[in-house]
Amino acid sequence: MIHNGIEFDTYFKNYPDENGYFGKYGGVYITPELKAAMEEITEAYFTICKSSKFISELRKIRKEFQGRPTPISYLERLSGKLGNVQIYVKREDLNHTGAHKLNHCMGEGLLAKYMGKKKIIAETGAGQHGVALATAAAYFGLECDIYMGAVDIKKQAPNVSRMKILGANVIEVTHGLATLKEAVDAAFEAYAKDYKNCIYCIGSVLGPHPFPMMVRDFQSVVGIEAREQFLSMTGELPDAVVACVGGGSNAMGMFSGFLNDPVDIYGVEPLGRGPALGDHAASLTYGTEGIMHGFNSIMLKDENGEAAPVYSVSSGLDYPSSGPEHAFLHDLGRVKYDVIDDDEAIDAFFTLAKLEGIIPALESAHAVAYAMKLAKTMSHGSILVNLSGRGDKDMDYVIEKYGIR
């Protein structure tokens, strides 16, 4: 398949390039010392990912520890309510720890072990990445420091407790807006001071090269499984594939399986309270090109050209930029990026729970809400949604703020 001059049958061999660029996006914009650390990680990853021992161990972990492959569920009642379009969900909520995050965290933990590191450091927003990384650290016998904004610690108390039970050191970040961006800032600062003994395990397809590529590769299991499962279930490909996008790891995992197919692909960003700057986190929809956290992408900026304040009801989506590969696919037009606001996401949260017995993460609820809107514009066909996580972590917050609908 060729789209805007890009041959997608060879896409993964060509992107990113050797310097970590997807077109003009990506790269490595960090201090010389940290650049050396990134080069060490890149070298280790390219060595280990070709090793049959590593691949075999990772496959065993996915099958015997994570519970993969996760299934696809057909949402019969929701589909019937919306019309003639059939909606399906890839059940990453059934992956161990309750979200897609463990897919790359176990890979990163295995890489850390291979490199002889003693500690893994990370940021987390909704807490799912933090829980997954704390799980990986426990599995591989590594120390674990998780940086989390004070606002998110309050919103995501169940996941904070899980991280602590798993043995992680949860470090509260109180400066700035005290959300995901500030947690990333703090984690990078800590990593810079101790990069010889630890590895920074970024929680999405962002940051300096090789992380956008590496996390995508580990998450591609989602799209590979989903494509095969959907063909087996229905005998054909879905008409549309939908996933939520903050940094974008679950989306790139899902999209990877379908980029070379005649399938419409939609990335769903959080519109939050509305389009005014500071009321949303829809960087691809409203942002411009810019550099932050070591990579060039599309980001939301304030009047000084710095990262703008962002907001979303979903802690995992409130980041002022997006992964560089998403920026590239946005510019190519291969993926359409659109928005869902808080109210629509909350409505989808309760609708999916009451009609299908599935309580989605607020992040995933954005994708479900978009699929519901999209279905109403189609006369027939099928939509496959990546249900990236379960909503246990969000229930107390949703009930406190919105009640039961």
Side-chain angles (χ1 to χ4, degrees), residues 188-242:
F188 260 115
E189 288 173 14
Y191 179 54
K193 295 175 183 175
D194 195 28
Y195 64 87
K196 291 184 179 179
N197 296 310
C198 63
I199 184 172
Y200 181 17
C201 296
I202 290 175
S204 195
V205 285
L206 42 78
H209 179 66
F211 283 99
M213 171 192 68
M214 193 164 69
V215 173
R216 176 199 70 187
D217 291 352
F218 287 138
Q219 286 295 343
S220 66
V221 65
V222 177
I224 292 168
E225 285 179 6
R227 187 180 188 279
E228 180 180 330
Q229 290 167 324
F230 199 90
L231 280 169
S232 178
M233 288 177 74
T234 69
E236 59 186 15
L237 293 170
D239 292 289
V241 170
V242 179

Side-chain angles (χ1 to χ4, degrees), residues 15-258:
Y15 297 97
D17 66 17
E18 61 182 11
N19 295 313
Y21 283 95
F22 302 86
K24 62 182 178 179
Y25 303 112
V28 183
Y29 297 85
I30 50 179
T31 64
E33 277 194 331
L34 277 181
K35 189 172 286 188
M38 290 302 123
E39 289 172 355
E40 178 192 16
I41 294 171
T42 303
E43 182 67 25
Y45 176 67
F46 275 121
T47 300
I48 201 172
C49 75
K50 303 296 183 184
S51 162
S52 62
K53 181 180 178 182
F54 173 81
I55 294 167
S56 177
E57 187 170 356
L58 189 57
R59 285 176 175 170
K60 183 179 180 182
I61 288 168
R62 285 173 172 170
K63 180 180 179 181
E64 298 178 7
F65 183 70
Q66 292 183 229
R68 302 204 69 88
T70 57
I72 285 178
S73 295
Y74 168 50
L75 306 184
E76 183 175 5
R77 294 189 69 205
L78 180 62
S79 300
K81 178 182 178 181
L82 296 172
N84 297 319
V85 175
Q86 310 308 308
I87 299 179
Y88 299 77
V89 286
K90 174 64 169 167
R91 298 293 304 279
E92 289 302 288
D93 60 314
L94 298 180
N95 192 36
H96 181 45
T97 74
H100 69 289
K101 294 291 187 180
L102 197 63
N103 300 331
H104 66 257
C105 286
M106 294 305 289
E108 289 174 333
L110 195 55
L111 178 64
K113 198 78 172 175
Y114 169 82
M115 295 175 70
K117 303 297 185 182
K118 305 299 182 186
K119 180 192 288 187
I120 47 183
I121 292 176
E123 84 297 328
T124 194
Q128 289 300 115
H129 176 61
V131 169
L133 201 65
T135 300
Y139 184 92
F140 292 111
L142 300 167
E143 297 176 47
C144 183
D145 286 350
I146 303 294
Y147 291 81
M148 191 171 188
V151 171
D152 294 332
I153 283 177
K154 185 177 181 181
K155 287 172 67 176
Q156 306 292 342
N159 274 345
V160 175
S161 298
R162 289 186 184 100
M163 286 183 269
K164 291 179 178 178
I165 288 170
L166 289 161
N169 180 26
V170 180
I171 301 165
E172 184 175 18
V173 179
T174 58
H175 67 275
L177 293 177
T179 56
L180 184 55
K181 176 192 174 293
E182 289 75 25
V184 176
D185 291 340
F188 260 115
E189 288 173 14
Y191 179 54
K193 295 175 183 175
D194 195 28
Y195 64 87
K196 291 184 179 179
N197 296 310
C198 63
I199 184 172
Y200 181 17
C201 296
I202 290 175
S204 195
V205 285
L206 42 78
H209 179 66
F211 283 99
M213 171 192 68
M214 193 164 69
V215 173
R216 176 199 70 187
D217 291 352
F218 287 138
Q219 286 295 343
S220 66
V221 65
V222 177
I224 292 168
E225 285 179 6
R227 187 180 188 279
E228 180 180 330
Q229 290 167 324
F230 199 90
L231 280 169
S232 178
M233 288 177 74
T234 69
E236 59 186 15
L237 293 170
D239 292 289
V241 170
V242 179
C244 65
V245 177
S249 58
N250 92 90
M252 276 316 309
M254 177 62 103
F255 296 169
S256 293
F258 298 92

Side-chain angles (χ1 to χ4, degrees), residues 380-400:
H380 56 80
S382 59
I383 301 171
L384 175 60
V385 180
N386 193 20
L387 196 76
S388 54
R390 65 175 181 243
D392 305 38
K393 65 184 179 61
D394 297 310
M395 289 190 297
D396 291 345
Y397 172 75
V398 170
I399 292 170
E400 179 183 341

